[in-house]
C-alpha cells in the first residue's frame, strides 16, 4: 500500500465511524440484528425512549460511559492525530463516535456530530450549553439536574434527532480537496451523503473499512482493511 498523496495545498476532511471505536473494543449497534448490547435502539436511543423510561436510557449510557473510560485509543486514532499535526488548520475530523478516543489520541480540530458521551444537557432545552458529565449513575436519583431544575439527558444525538454542527460540516466539506471516510458503513444519513457532497465539490474521496460500504460507487478509491492496521501506512508522510 502506498501512502495517500497529500499536497501542501490539500484540505483534508476525515469522517470516522463505529468501526474505529470497535477496534478499541467498544461494541456498536449492529444493523444485522437491530440490537445494541442486547437493547433495541428504540428502547434506549430515541427521544420517545427518554420520555418513556429515562432510567433505562441513563443506565444504558452510564454503561457506555464506563466502557469508553476503560477503552484506549488505537493506531487509527493516533494516525489521524499525527496527520493533524502535519496539516494544522487544513485538517478537520468529523466523527460519528460519541466516545473521546480521538481527543485522547491528541485530535483537536474535531466535531462530534452525534454528541459526546462525556457531556449531558438539559432535557427541556432551556438554552444552557451542555455540561461536562462523565457520571455513571446507578439510579435516576443520582442524575444531576440542570440549573433550571429540569433533568439532564445524555448529550447524544438520538435516532430521529438532527446531527450537530451541520452548517459547519457542510462548509468544511465544500472547502475540502480530499475526503477520507474510515470505518463507517455508508448507511447512516446524513453522514452517508458526505462523500457525494465532497465529490460534487471536486474532492478526491477515499474509503477505508473492513468491507465495501453500501455507497462504494460514490468513492474515488476504496481501501479494504482494518483502520488500525492500514491507516498508519496510508497516512505516513511517504
Ligand atoms: Zn435547563
Amino acid at each position: 500500500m502506498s501512502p495517500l498523496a497529500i499536497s501542501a495545498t490539500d484540505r483534508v476532511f476525515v469522517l470516522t465511524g463505529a468501526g474505529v471505536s470497535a477496534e478499541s473494543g467498544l461494541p456498536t449497534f449492529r444493523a444485522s440484528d437491530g440490537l445494541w448490547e442486547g437493547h433495541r435502539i428504540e428502547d434506549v436511543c430515541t427521544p420517545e425512549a427518554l420520555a418513556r423510561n429515562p432510567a433505562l436510557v441513563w443506565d444504558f449510557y452510564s454503561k457506555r460511559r464506563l466502557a469508553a473510560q476503560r477503552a484506549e485509543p488505537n493506531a487509527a486514532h493516533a494516525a489521524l492525530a499525527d496527520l493533524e499535526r502535519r496539516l494544522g488548520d487544513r485538517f478537520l475530523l468529523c466523527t460519528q463516535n460519541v466516545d473521546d478516543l480521538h481527543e485522547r489520541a491528541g485530535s483537536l480540530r474535531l466535531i462530534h456530530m452525534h454528541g459526546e458521551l462525556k457531556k449531558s444537557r438539559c432535557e427541556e432545552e432551556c438554552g444552557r450549553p451542555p455540561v461536562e458529565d462523565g457520571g455513571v449513575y446507578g439510579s435516576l436519583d443520582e442524575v444531576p439536574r440542570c440549573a433550571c431544575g429540569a433533568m439532564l439527558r445524555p448529550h447524544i444525538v438520538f435516532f430521529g434527532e438532527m446531527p450537530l454542527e451541520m452548517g459547519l460540516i457542510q462548509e468544511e466539506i465544500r472547502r475540502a480537496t480530499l475526503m477520507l471516510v474510515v470505518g463507517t458503513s455508508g448507511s447512516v444519513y446524513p453522514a452517508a451523503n458526505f462523500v457525494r457532497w465532497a465529490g460534487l465539490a471536486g474532492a478526491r474521496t477515499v474509503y477505508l473499512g473492513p468491507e465495501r460500504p453500501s455507497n462504494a460507487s460514490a468513492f474515488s478509491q476504496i481501501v479494504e482493511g482494518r483502520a488500525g492496521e492500514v491507516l498508519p501506512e496510508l497516512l505516513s508522510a511517504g
Side-chain angles (χ1 to χ4, degrees):
M1 160 123 14
S2 51
L4 273 184
I6 300 176
S7 82
T9 56
D10 271 323
R11 294 190 69 92
V12 179
F13 183 103
V14 181
L15 172 67
T16 61
V20 176
S21 293
E23 289 183 26
S24 283
L26 292 178
T28 64
F29 168 63
R30 285 176 309 170
S32 56
D33 60 9
L35 295 182
W36 192 354
E37 292 290 278
H39 293 284
R40 299 185 311 158
I41 283 296
E42 54 267 41
D43 291 338
V44 292
C45 200
T46 60
E48 294 76 20
L50 185 69
R52 191 170 58 234
N53 193 346
L56 177 63
V57 172
W58 264 113
D59 179 64
F60 179 77
Y61 281 100
S62 289
K63 286 172 178 153
R64 303 283 73 73
R65 283 176 172 180
L66 201 56
Q69 287 163 15
R70 289 171 175 162
E72 294 294 333
N74 62 55
H77 296 103
L80 290 168
D82 283 345
L83 181 63
E84 180 178 354
R85 279 188 281 275
R86 270 163 58 204
L87 299 182
D89 64 6
R90 293 185 291 116
F91 174 95
L92 183 72
L93 175 55
C94 175
T95 186
Q96 297 172 274
N97 301 330
V98 296
D99 58 65
D100 63 348
L101 296 178
H102 282 304
E103 291 94 313
R104 282 160 55 196
S107 289
L108 297 170
R109 292 178 50 78
L110 175 64
I111 295 174
H112 277 280
M113 66 178 290
H114 288 164
E116 295 174 67
L117 267 179
K118 277 190 5 182
K119 293 183 180 175
S120 299
R121 70 169 190 265
C122 180
E123 189 192 19
E124 299 293 338
E125 314 274 353
C126 73
R128 290 179 172 82
V131 294
E132 296 292 330
D133 175 22
V136 173
Y137 304 117
S139 78
L140 217 46
D141 298 339
E142 299 170 20
V143 177
R145 298 254 155 191
C146 178
C148 76
M151 202 176 68
L152 287 182
R153 59 167 275 182
H155 182 47
I156 298 287
V157 175
F158 290 149
F159 284 79
E161 296 182 324
M162 275 292 289
L164 307 174
E165 304 281 9
M166 284 305 297
L168 175 60
I169 289 169
Q170 283 175 305
E171 187 181 317
E172 290 287 338
I173 291 175
R174 255 198 311 274
R175 297 165 72 197
T177 58
L178 173 61
M179 173 177 280
L180 175 61
V181 175
V182 187
T184 179
S185 64
S187 58
V188 176
Y189 288 87
N193 274 331
F194 288 4
V195 61
R196 293 192 177 83
W197 299 344
L200 285 171
R204 284 181 290 154
T205 52
V206 180
Y207 175 86
L208 166 60
E211 54 199 28
R212 288 179 70 79
S214 49
N215 57 350
S217 63
F219 287 92
S220 345
Q221 185 183 350
I222 302 280
V223 181
E224 284 184 49
R226 284 169 59 87
E229 288 164 11
V230 176
L231 210 48
E233 199 177 336
L234 197 66
L235 297 182
S236 68

